[in-house]
Amino acid sequence: MPLPYVLLSAAVSLDGYLDDTGPERLLLSSPADFDRVDEVRASVDAILVGAGTIRADNPRLLVNSAERRAARVAAGRTEYPLKVTVSATGELDPAARFWHTGGDKVLLTTDEGARRARTLGLAADVVPLGAAFDWRAALEHLHDRRGVRRLMVEGGGTVHTQLLRRELADELQLVLAPLLVGDPDAPRLFGPGGYQSGRLRLVESRRIEDVVLARYLPTAPGTGDRVAAADRHWLALACELAELCPPSRTAFSVGAVVVAADGTELARGYSREGGDPAVHAEEAALAKITPDDPRLAGATVYSSLEPCARRASRPVPCARLILDAGARRVVTAWREPDTFVPGADGSGVLAAGGAVVVVLPEYEERAKAPNRHLEG
């Protein structure tokens, strides 16, 4: 199921703490960075914090700029983003500022937590998600029932940790403040546990007064049919590569990326790359990798269009090239239509060869865009 784009936002000390243990909240961001956060809030559909953040910080979570709120309204959006909190127990203070400022509020909780929250009279739409709290179900609800396409998560550390460990975070925006806390009892941004493998990809670093903003994207693919946030990033890149293809009336424009299990990009390619009128995207990418590269066995191939099962231009179709290379996981956006090859079924060839094929239909329109001239 499609999920919102999940953006984790946090500020930490140089030694990784979110706060100290004093009675007042430790201010880590600079005034200019608080304004940046306000700008990000204005850009999203919803802002989420955990119950612990409401209890500890009593936040309002507002867009403070009147100009930004006016721009939201002018664009046909609500003045404030939807405010969301999560709690398995439903034990929250009904007098907290979270409930009484801004626009609509939602509490995502368990069946038992919903009963408790309704007894407390929380000023929110209380949504039970089952006997135990499930993050994927929570995100699916926000996407499908609330129309949330972009979700900003502002804490706390437990929520950030859970989303990263479940590979549901699409982006991490981390602000590093020039402070040292050093108190082992103070809250840290990330807790212990099993995180995804591989290095995150740094896509931006910026000085903002005396703090530094770093934006990271996950890189490690999912496994089997389990979709990780990085799968969406890599498939989006494949769709971008498809836009580089020289146009053709007799072939699709397709982009492909091959990524190792640890998130290392092994190669990329696109249809008709290098002036070869017959080369396919997956073929172009795989040709750049040494055939005996041991990373191919655990690699994922991302292709904006389902790899071909049959082709007239070359003797070996892309589905077979992928299997021969040793890759056993393919993520694609769009099943091949009958435009050139009736009954195309690259997924069937791959599955018969022991590969897992994952289709992310939310990227189908992006994959089709460079092929609009072939319609009709």
Side-chain angles (χ1 to χ4, degrees), residues 22 72 83 101 145 154 176 196 199 202 248 270 295 315:
R72 285 179 58 90
K83 296 204 299 188
T101 56
R145 302 293 183 87
E154 295 199 40
L176 192 63
Q196 63 186 64
R199 299 170 70 91
L202 178 66
S248 171
Y270 56 89
R295 296 173 296 179

Side-chain angles (χ1 to χ4, degrees), residues 256-259 282 286 296 299-303 307 322 327 329-332:
V257 191
V258 184
V259 181
E282 303 92 332
L286 289 169
L296 278 168
T300 295
V301 177
Y302 297 89
S303 181
I322 291 169
R329 186 171 186 265
V330 175
V331 178
T332 186

Side-chain angles (χ1 to χ4, degrees), residues 80 235 274 337:
Y80 294 99
L235 187 57

Side-chain angles (χ1 to χ4, degrees), residues 161 165 190-196:
T161 297
R165 289 184 62 187
F190 299 125
Y195 291 93
Q196 63 186 64

Side-chain angles (χ1 to χ4, degrees), residues 21-75:
T21 54
E24 301 296 328
R25 182 185 176 192
L26 177 65
L27 295 181
L28 295 165
S29 293
S30 66
D33 187 58
F34 282 124
D35 186 65
R36 178 197 64 84
V37 169
D38 195 65
E39 182 179 20
V40 177
R41 287 180 179 177
S43 73
V44 301
D45 302 306
I47 304 168
L48 183 148
V49 293
T53 297
I54 293 179
R55 297 184 188 109
D57 298 338
N58 195 22
R60 297 184 304 158
L61 296 179
L62 302 178
V63 175
N64 294 312
S65 166
E67 291 80 5
R68 290 173 183 143
R69 297 199 305 271
R72 285 179 58 90
V73 173

